[in-house]
Amino acid sequence: MATHDTTRRVTRRRVRTRANLLDAAFAVFAAKGFGRVSIEEVCEAAGYSRGAFYSNFDSLDELFFALYQQRADLIAEQVSGALALDGPGLDVVAAVDRVTEVLLLDRDWLLVKTDFLVHAARAPEVARTLLEHRARLRRAVAERLARARGHAELPAVPADVEDAAHAVVAAYDGVTVQLLLDGDLERARVWLKQLLTALLTDGSDTTV
């Protein structure tokens, strides 16, 4: 019994240590950029030794990969949740407001995501993770629009829910590039809301 309790405490401590390392790494990567951060800097920010780092990650690359995966999964879940709140129909204006709040909530995430994009462009195995995250976002949008079909019609362009989902993610990409350059979060929210509403309605109705 004592051995079992000790094992559980060790497991909980290990999970907590890993989570703290990921949180600290997120702040350091956002501030300095991937490729300009050392293991020592992550350990110092988290308040741990190199031994604690290496008991959880083999390298800084593995930590960065795990960090991206964690945050990307969270964003995809939040988008799915934001789109699931309406009934069979979809109130586009309300849904766009919720999704915009989720997608543009954290500029630090955009900095880390952009670093990961550049990293993935040079590493095909890493690119697969990025592509899967983008596919999850598109699936969340496409599945929600498909469930709304029959209650109202999509505009003529995009032609179907898959095209609409691609357009939504592309609009998000374009707006976030501008946000990273000018730092104007409020303007970025307005632009994204306008673009998504225009994409998902025919201009005369707010329900899809």
Side-chain angles (χ1 to χ4, degrees), residues 7-205:
T7 300
R8 287 202 311 177
R9 285 197 299 272
V10 169
T11 300
R12 287 198 299 268
R13 184 166 65 247
R14 183 182 179 87
V15 169
R16 186 168 60 249
T17 298
R18 181 182 176 87
N20 289 341
L21 284 166
L22 287 168
D23 287 344
F26 181 76
V28 175
F29 284 135
K32 300 189 68 172
F34 182 68
R36 298 182 179 179
V37 173
S38 66
I39 291 174
E40 287 76 11
E41 286 173 303
V42 172
C43 292
E44 182 179 354
Y48 292 121
S49 66
R50 286 175 63 93
F53 178 93
Y54 282 115
S55 70
N56 287 275
F57 303 101
D58 290 334
S59 66
L60 209 55
D61 277 7
E62 183 184 341
L63 169 62
F64 190 56
F65 189 94
L67 173 64
Y68 179 85
Q69 187 72 61
Q70 177 200 61
R71 298 286 170 143
D73 287 348
L74 174 62
I75 294 292
E77 289 168 7
Q78 288 175 328
V79 169
S80 296
L83 291 170
L85 294 179
D86 296 315
L90 181 63
D91 182 338
V92 170
V93 173
V96 164
D97 281 347
R98 293 192 300 266
V99 170
T100 300
E101 290 297 319
V102 170
L103 288 175
L104 286 175
L105 185 61
D106 191 349
R107 188 170 180 266
D108 283 349
W109 159 247
L110 299 179
L111 290 167
V112 171
K113 183 169 75 78
T114 301
D115 270 350
F116 196 84
L117 172 63
V118 174
H119 183 49
R122 297 187 175 93
E125 69 281 6
V126 178
R128 285 193 290 272
T129 295
L130 180 61
L131 289 171
E132 173 55 25
H133 167 57
R134 293 171 67 83
R136 285 186 64 188
L137 290 178
R138 290 196 303 271
R139 285 198 299 271
V141 175
E143 288 169 4
R144 186 62 187 90
L145 293 175
R147 288 199 304 274
R149 179 175 282 167
H151 299 273
E153 294 183 359
L154 285 169
V157 178
D160 58 35
V161 293
E162 295 295 333
D163 285 347
H166 276 273
V168 166
V169 175
Y172 169 61
D173 287 341
V175 170
T176 54
V177 168
Q178 185 66 32
L179 171 60
L180 285 174
L181 293 175
D182 64 25
D184 192 336
L185 180 58
E186 291 310 308
R187 182 180 296 179
R189 289 191 196 283
V190 170
W191 285 342
L192 187 58
K193 288 176 183 179
Q194 290 174 340
L195 284 170
L196 297 187
T197 302
L199 284 168
L200 299 176
T201 70
D202 61 6
S204 63
D205 200 338

